[in-house]
Amino acid sequence: MNEHLNTNSSLDALINSGFLNQDLIEEQYALYKQNPSQVDPSWRPVFASLENEKFNDSISQAPFPQQNESSALYQPYVAVASTSPDYRIAHLVEAYRTFGHLAAKTNPLDSNSSSTEEIEQLRLENFGFTKNDLSNSFPSHGFTKNPTAPLNEILNELKATYSGCIGVEYMGLHSPDLEFWLQRQIEHKDYTATLSVEQKQTILQHLNKSELFESFIHTKYVGQKRFSLEGSETLIPMLAAMIDTGAGLGIEEYYIGMSHRGRLNVLANIFDKSYSDIFSEFEEGYVPASVEGSGDVKYHKGFYSQIKSIHGHNVSLTLTPNPSHLESVDPVVEGQTYSRQVLRGDDVTKDKIAPILIHGDAAISGQGIVYETMQLCNLDGYATGGTIHFIINNQIGFTTIPRDSRSTTYCSDIAKIFRAPIFHVNAEDPEDCVFVTNLAIEMRQRFHCDVFIELVCYRKYGHNETDEPAFTQPIKYKIIRDKKPIREIYRDALIRQGILNKDVIAAMETEFKSSLQQAMNTKNSVVKIHSDTDELSASEKNEELFQRVETGVPKDILKEIGTRLCQVPEGFVLHPKLAVLLRERLAMVKDVDSKHSIDWGMGELLAYGSLLWNGTSVRLSGQDSCRGTFSHRHALLVNQANEQGYIPLKNLKQGQGRFDVYNSPLSEYSVLGFEFGYSIAAPEALVLWEAQFGDFSNCAQVIIDQYIATSEQKWSQKTSLTLLLPHGYEGQGPEHSSARIERFLSLAGDSNMLIVNPTTPAQFFHLLRRQILRPLRKPLIVFTPKGLLRHPACVSRLEEFTKGTFQEIIDDPNPPKRTKRLMLCSGRIYYNLIEERERLAVDDASIVRIEQLYPLNVERLKEIIGRCSTLKECVWVQEEPSNMGAWNFIRQILRDLLPKSVELTYVGRMRSASPAAGSHAAHKREHAAILSSLFGTKDPLMYDTYGNLKA
Ligand SMILES: Cc1ncc(C[n+]2csc(CCOP(=O)(O)OP(=O)(O)O)c2C)c(N)n1
């Protein structure tokens, strides 16, 4: 604190009032003391009054004004009201800057919105003024041309600036530079006066496109859903302005996420998707051309286009496809953007690639994913340098009105947590809408913050065009039906102002309408065009899926990588236990003896290291992933002396691939969505998301169901995103045992993803490498170990890493001469089975591991069954209850493969609601029962075909 401004000063009172930012005031005050001309004129009277008056006294001794009824509880200005007029005016200005938005005329459906007098925080009496003061002159703080002006005039300017068609929330963002900059833009620019005729014409042209496009479809395709933008048409001139202004400020690529509302309009009028293509999709019998799997409805599909900005810059636009699940696309867009920034080297300045999210008012208020996504906005490894958020606030969500859909004042209030500036703007004032849009993108480029624009509008029809809104909102919809379209309001205003004449406007409309009609005439009645992949036979597809790629790595390279993984820089103080660990890891790659075979942690690091070695990028994020939840990874080493980190995988050699590892925030939904987005924009990279325990992946179920499992089928969107989901029944209770294998298997179809439960470090190594070295791009779900991380038998010799590839099914390494029983299993229980077989000297049972559950390598399984010529029984053994795990998935396949004479049985836990027992003792009992039942040491447990224990 400046020594002159000690803690008892009146300036402190100003600061404590909450209206002014301390750093900003001090900075300005220091400048003022050097020379008053150095500060903005609006500050000068404030500082002048500080210098000249003894405020300490006047504030502390001021008599308490009489409470009037309306301000009985609200008293922040009582001290102010008794101080000098200059100071009170300064406070009034601050009050408008802070609360003016509460009286802003932003709602096109509410011509009686609150006047400033009705807003408690703005009442003149609170500042010690009465109506009699309105004609008295006061310092105008730059709000009028003259340094002083009648209060009335100052008030009018304040209202026009802060309570007009734009409401702005920006005070107290803890970003003095941003606040000051924005203040200047808002207070010192007569924006609309500076708009050229061409610019106004452009706005009108975009409104024409926006509205006439909708009304054209409305008449041509009666009763078809399109989720019209009518009532919020201004979005189109706003988006156009954003793209143009942003392009002028260096943005070359935009990634856009939005829901149904207005999506077709955006595709047509922003992305330049041809009108005829859009119309074709409305035709009866439309089947998409090309490789689109089972496809998706027209208002969910993505699009990419390259357009030229109004000033001739090339801009590429990507509209990310999304499911119905509102707001779920938000993290995906952020991930895509970030990934592109990394790929194009824009991840430091983040000036070239920007995300735009377009929300609905009900969805942004209700969906937690918005918060989870916003939480990424300033984090290393996730921050995209500022997102522009548009909220189409049509004041309804399906049939639900704001009073029922949120507890917050504004639907944009989430922005406040993240200190993002917010504009509320009336959609019926397109020039103000474009003004705030331009400010928003400039702010993003200057300050790299998120910015919110709430476009306050209405919805002309029901939720969709077949929906009757008057069932539930009869009065509101009467008002809406009587409304003049925004385009006409603006058009008439331009005519009134003499800016455009009627003929020019009519010509613009006619031209646009005829282009729509022309597109209608030339639309295709599309029938399915067969693509190459349609022609592929099932066996050819299988070949691709089970194609063997050599994933071994020469021993000398592995040794070199392994050695570097175990080195730290000079003077780096390792935790003593990690020093031991690194020594052990070094011994593993040196292959000194069989005691030092490679364990899971080292196998995983070698997989990453070897991919990086050859230039592939690897990114891993998840909760506590740097160390690893189970302390097995230690990808990040921390210097015990100074907490500086060192990541050996980043330091393998010159020219290696990029390695990123991040401890993510405690969110599954947004982080997995982000990684999905990252992976689709970086198909050559190995991108992994790790759940803390596999159980928690269901917090991200929307991303799994709607994106990972189906994106290729719906949107031809391919990804090799890899999920690491710790899974295993080890007595830790219902919530730390199951990654829900059954859920993933229930999503499996059309070879949409790979579902794998590997049992050895070498298998995991080859699996991760195969994921990238094969051209096939499929999501990979890996059930990863917990206890096996340190199980002495769960190790692999160095040789196993130097040759071969991932095996989908591992046959018994020591099959008996005559196999009577074939024990099939997947995952960690294998180790119990071989132990028990050995202990009991069972000599007629083969134990076979299904490492990849989906797609199942049926040919390999047939071969194995074929070698067991004496087979009597095939048992599926699993740890999970019978309604979980792989049993329900695999039973029919096995039945079909096995000869009729061979009995198929199930051994595992009973059907259960909860995935696992709560007590360790119960777990052990159940586990023992599985083994004894399997090996017949006790009476076998008898299950019916649903896995229920028979009485
Ligand atoms: C997560 C989710 N829950 C429910 C729905 C069903 N739904 C579709 S649109 C809609 C209303 C959305 O309202 P709003 O966000 O205001 O957008 P608007 O349709 O008004 O543009 C609802 C509830 C959905 N699509 N997604």
Side-chain angles (χ1 to χ4, degrees):
M1 187 105 189
N2 181 312
E3 59 170 57
H4 187 75
L5 303 176
N6 64 39
T7 44
N8 288 324
S9 77
S10 55
L11 195 63
D12 272 5
L14 238 176
I15 292 164
N16 293 335
S17 73
F19 291 123
L20 297 176
N21 174 299
Q22 180 164 343
D23 293 344
L24 180 68
I25 300 169
E26 282 172 11
E27 181 195 293
Q28 295 298 311
Y29 189 57
L31 288 173
Y32 175 86
K33 283 174 66 79
Q34 283 169 7
N35 181 349
S37 70
Q38 291 195 75
V39 302
D40 187 86
S42 64
W43 286 102
R44 290 177 207 156
V46 184
F47 295 140
S49 57
L50 269 178
E51 296 272 283
N52 297 335
E53 295 182 27
K54 299 278 175 249
F55 279 98
N56 287 348
D57 294 348
S58 59
I59 289 174
S60 56
Q61 292 160 18
F64 238 67
Q66 286 286 306
Q67 285 189 0
N68 63 27
E69 237 179 84
S70 62
S71 60
L73 294 172
Y74 189 78
Q75 294 288 341
Y77 301 108
V78 286
V80 175
S82 63
T83 57
S84 85
D86 292 1
Y87 185 44
R88 284 185 277 132
I89 285 280
H91 248 299
L92 181 69
V93 168
E94 290 306 302
Y96 266 86
R97 286 171 176 160
T98 312
F99 299 113
H101 60 88
L102 293 173
K105 310 284 170 281
T106 53
N107 188 350
L109 296 183
D110 183 8
S111 47
N112 305 317
S113 57
S114 310
S115 73
T116 48
E117 284 71 31
E118 287 170 87
I119 302 300
E120 190 57 54
Q121 295 92 326
L122 302 176
R123 282 163 55 88
L124 273 185
E125 293 78 13
N126 286 326
F127 304 89
F129 295 116
T130 66
K131 293 225 162 71
N132 298 336
D133 291 315
L134 288 173
S135 49
N136 296 338
S137 274
F138 296 96
S140 69
H141 289 253
F143 277 88
T144 63
K145 278 197 200 101
N146 298 326
T148 60
L151 178 58
N152 205 13
E153 222 173 278
I154 299 171
L155 265 180
N156 284 343
E157 286 303 321
L158 285 172
K159 287 178 191 174
T161 308
Y162 284 110
S163 303
C165 284
I166 300 170
V168 53
E169 293 181 82
Y170 71 105
M171 297 290 278
L173 299 179
H174 296 215
S175 170
D177 288 349
L178 186 153
E179 287 172 41
F180 198 54
W181 180 86
L182 183 52
Q183 199 162 83
R184 279 174 163 265
Q185 306 306 309
I186 293 170
E187 295 179 5
H188 300 288
K189 253 193 190 160
D190 187 359
Y191 167 74
T192 43
T194 63
L195 274 184
S196 67
V197 172
E198 287 73 32
Q199 284 168 314
K200 291 180 188 236
Q201 198 166 341
T202 303
I203 294 176
L204 181 63
Q205 182 67 334
H206 285 301
L207 285 173
N208 276 343
K209 287 182 170 188
S210 175
E211 191 213 319
L212 298 178
F213 169 79
E214 297 286 1
S215 51
F216 187 82
I217 301 181
H218 195 68
T219 49
K220 301 285 177 187
Y221 298 100
V222 179
Q224 283 215 42
K225 283 190 204 174
R226 71 195 137 90
F227 298 102
S228 141
L229 194 61
E230 284 149 293
S232 48
E233 299 92 319
T234 325
L235 181 71
I236 297 299
M238 291 168 94
L239 280 175
M242 169 142 305
I243 290 162
D244 287 337
T245 307
L249 297 170
I251 298 180
E252 295 165 10
E253 295 181 37
Y254 288 96
Y255 281 85
I256 303 178
M258 72 181 297
S259 67
H260 51 286
R261 180 77 49 217
R263 194 176 177 105
L264 300 181
N265 206 317
V266 168
L267 281 171
N269 294 321
I270 297 295
F271 279 75
D272 279 349
K273 180 170 178 177
S274 85
Y275 293 120
S276 56
D277 281 357
I278 292 175
F279 298 153
S280 300
E281 296 184 39
F282 278 90
E283 290 295 312
E284 182 122 0
Y286 167 79
V287 184
S290 86
V291 212
E292 289 196 65
S294 53
D296 202 351
V297 292
K298 48 186 164 299
Y299 38 83
H300 286 167
K301 288 192 210 166
F303 203 72
Y304 169 81
S305 61
Q306 279 250 326
I307 59 165
K308 273 234 182 296
S309 78
I310 206 158
H311 305 296
H313 299 102
N314 288 324
V315 184
S316 76
L317 304 176
T318 302
L319 180 66
T320 304
N322 59 265
S324 266
H325 295 58
L326 294 168
E327 305 290 347
S328 63
V329 79
D330 300 356
V332 178
V333 171
E334 295 296 326
Q336 265 182 310
T337 308
Y338 184 86
S339 180
R340 276 298 288 175
Q341 289 174 339
V342 168
L343 213 67
R344 290 199 51 201
D346 187 36
D347 53 324
V348 179
T349 57
K350 303 175 203 265
D351 287 332
K352 293 197 180 86
I353 305 159
I356 298 176
L357 294 177
I358 304 174
H359 314 267
D361 55 312
I364 195 173
S365 310
Q367 292 294 308
I369 186 61
V370 179
Y371 176 87
E372 292 187 40
T373 305
M374 287 289 300
Q375 196 57 268
L376 304 173
C377 72
N378 282 323
L379 298 181
D380 258 7
Y382 307 89
T384 51
T387 301
I388 303 293
H389 301 261
F390 288 95
I391 307 173
I392 303 179
N393 180 5
N394 54 20
Q395 310 185 61
I396 195 157
F398 217 133
T399 66
T400 304
I401 52 173
R403 194 179 58 222
D404 296 329
S405 73
R406 62 174 189 264
S407 297
T408 51
T409 305
Y410 292 112
C411 57
S412 56
D413 279 352
I414 179 101
K416 290 183 185 167
I417 302 175
F418 300 94
R419 298 185 180 146
I422 307 161
F423 296 104
H424 312 277
V425 63
N426 189 324
E428 284 186 347
D429 192 330
E431 292 184 3
D432 274 352
C433 289
V434 167
F435 170 59
V436 299
T437 304
N438 286 336
L439 280 188
I441 194 67
E442 193 172 345
M443 244 186 296
R444 191 266 173 201
Q445 289 301 84
R446 275 173 182 270
F447 301 102
H448 288 294
C449 59
D450 280 33
V451 186
F452 281 71
I453 302 173
E454 184 203 0
L455 178 66
V456 190
C457 53
Y458 57 91
R459 188 187 71 191
K460 183 169 174 185
Y461 301 105
H463 173 59
N464 58 57
E465 292 64 36
T466 59
D467 198 59
E468 173 53 83
F471 286 151
T472 46
Q473 277 81 29
I475 298 174
K476 188 183 217 168
Y477 269 82
K478 180 161 177 358
I479 299 172
I480 291 174
R481 269 197 299 274
D482 293 344
K483 280 206 85 78
K484 190 170 168 180
I486 298 171
R487 175 181 70 88
E488 291 178 20
I489 296 176
Y490 188 58
R491 176 194 69 188
D492 296 349
L494 293 188
I495 294 171
R496 265 199 317 280
Q497 293 162 24
I499 288 172
L500 288 177
N501 71 43
K502 280 187 182 160
D503 295 342
V504 172
I505 286 177
M508 281 163 74
E509 282 181 22
T510 314
E511 191 189 328
F512 182 64
K513 279 181 185 162
S514 76
S515 72
L516 288 173
Q517 187 55 51
Q518 214 171 343
M520 186 76 183
N521 301 340
T522 56
K523 71 178 184 312
N524 300 318
S525 30
V526 183
V527 278
K528 186 160 184 165
I529 300 164
H530 283 274
S531 68
D532 290 352
T533 48
D534 291 331
E535 307 298 336
L536 283 179
S537 67
S539 68
E540 276 170 306
K541 278 187 182 164
N542 272 349
E543 227 165 73
E544 212 191 2
L545 285 169
F546 299 107
Q547 181 196 14
R548 265 185 74 91
V549 275
E550 180 58 47
T551 46
V553 175
K555 200 182 252 186
D556 52 336
I557 295 181
L558 274 180
K559 285 188 171 183
E560 208 168 327
I561 296 168
T563 308
R564 291 181 196 190
L565 287 177
C566 301
Q567 284 168 346
V568 289
E570 277 277 308
F572 191 94
V573 186
L574 273 170
H575 187 283
K577 285 193 174 160
L578 294 186
V580 173
L581 178 91
L582 291 195
R583 273 201 299 279
E584 279 174 358
R585 283 182 172 173
L586 194 60
M588 291 175 197
V589 278
K590 296 275 181 220
D591 202 19
V592 281
D593 55 41
S594 61
K595 264 205 332 239
H596 289 93
S597 291
I598 291 169
D599 66 7
W600 198 277
M602 187 58 168
E604 179 185 345
L605 295 183
L606 286 173
Y608 302 149
S610 58
L611 288 170
L612 294 164
W613 195 260
N614 287 337
T616 299
S617 295
V618 177
R619 172 184 164 96
L620 166 66
S621 102
Q623 289 152 31
D624 307 291
S625 288
C626 293
R627 186 199 76 175
T629 299
F630 312 105
S631 228
H632 80 289
R633 181 174 295 126
H634 296 290
L636 167 78
L637 301 167
V638 174
N639 189 329
Q640 299 296 300
N642 55 17
E643 285 199 3
Q644 296 282 308
Y646 176 73
I647 298 179
L649 282 165
K650 280 184 190 267
N651 293 284
L652 297 176
K653 68 167 186 182
Q654 285 282 318
Q656 68 164 84
R658 176 182 170 124
F659 180 69
D660 291 302
V661 60
Y662 295 104
N663 287 340
S664 77
L666 211 167
S667 154
E668 288 76 22
Y669 193 175
S670 73
V671 178
L672 183 55
F674 185 98
E675 300 308 335
F676 175 82
Y678 190 103
S679 73
I680 50 178
E684 302 308 323
L686 178 65
V687 182
L688 307 105
W689 174 76
E690 181 175 54
Q692 187 119 59
F693 283 85
D695 318 50
F696 302 118
S697 67
N698 60 10
C699 295
Q701 201 64 48
V702 174
I703 300 296
I704 295 168
D705 292 349
Q706 264 62 39
Y707 294 85
I708 293 172
T710 46
S711 67
E712 187 179 357
Q713 273 269 307
K714 295 191 294 193
W715 313 314
S716 305
Q717 202 171 47
K718 296 188 184 187
T719 163
S720 50
L721 179 63
T722 297
L723 273 57
L724 305 182
L725 309 178
H727 172 91
Y729 280 60
E730 290 157 5
Q732 291 183 66
E735 261 66 76
H736 293 90
S737 301
S738 175
R740 300 292 195 167
I741 291 178
E742 66 283 358
R743 291 258 172 84
F744 289 93
L745 290 172
S746 81
L747 295 172
D750 297 307
S751 312
N752 58 341
M753 53 188 174
L754 314 169
I755 303 176
V756 183
N757 197 0
T759 52
T760 71
Q763 278 281 86
F764 189 38
F765 170 88
H766 290 294
L767 174 68
L768 292 175
R769 287 179 52 77
R770 185 187 76 167
Q771 184 65 354
I772 282 306
L773 298 179
R774 278 206 298 198
L776 192 73
R777 290 287 167 261
K778 296 279 175 191
L780 168 62
I781 315 298
V782 193
F783 300 102
T784 54
K786 296 172 293 170
L788 283 191
L789 294 170
R790 292 180 178 79
H791 193 292
C794 184
V795 290
S796 307
R797 298 285 305 169
L798 189 62
E799 277 67 34
E800 295 177 65
F801 295 76
T802 59
K803 55 185 181 301
T805 188
F806 174 76
Q807 302 174 62
E808 286 102 11
I809 298 178
I810 306 183
D811 197 358
D812 197 324
N814 304 301
K817 285 209 181 73
R818 285 163 53 84
T819 297
K820 281 213 236 140
R821 301 182 81 201
L822 177 59
M823 297 180 179
L824 291 179
C825 65
S826 186
R828 67 178 295 290
I829 200 164
Y830 164 76
Y831 289 96
N832 303 119
L833 301 192
I834 45 168
E835 239 175 63
E836 198 67 352
R837 179 175 70 175
E838 199 175 320
R839 191 176 71 82
L840 298 169
V842 174
D843 63 0
D844 61 355
S846 278
I847 300 173
V848 173
R849 282 168 279 177
I850 311 285
E851 300 272 296
Q852 179 171 300
L853 288 159
Y854 186 81
L856 192 64
N857 193 337
V858 174
E859 294 307 313
R860 180 80 185 108
L861 201 52
K862 272 189 203 159
E863 270 171 37
I864 292 171
I865 293 171
R867 82 156 164 78
C868 307
S869 55
T870 48
L871 196 62
K872 293 264 178 307
E873 185 192 2
C874 174
V875 197
W876 176 261
V877 194
Q878 68 176 32
E879 298 183 304
E880 300 83 3
S882 65
N883 51 327
M884 301 175 194
W887 171 233
N888 279 329
F889 165 80
I890 209 158
R891 58 199 286 184
Q892 193 56 47
I893 304 173
L894 292 178
R895 189 59 274 165
D896 291 348
L897 288 180
L898 291 164
K900 290 255 171 328
S901 58
V902 175
E903 197 186 352
L904 174 65
T905 50
Y906 164 82
V907 173
R909 284 180 169 79
M910 285 187 288
R911 172 171 281 271
S912 157
S914 172
S919 86
H920 199 260
H923 159 79
K924 275 173 58 184
R925 224 175 26 242
E926 289 171 1
H927 190 72
I930 290 174
L931 295 181
S932 61
S933 154
L934 180 66
F935 286 97
T937 49
K938 275 200 191 144
D939 283 348
L941 298 173
M942 295 303 292
Y943 296 97
D944 65 19
T945 50
Y946 298 103
N948 289 321
L949 195 63
K950 282 186 178 166

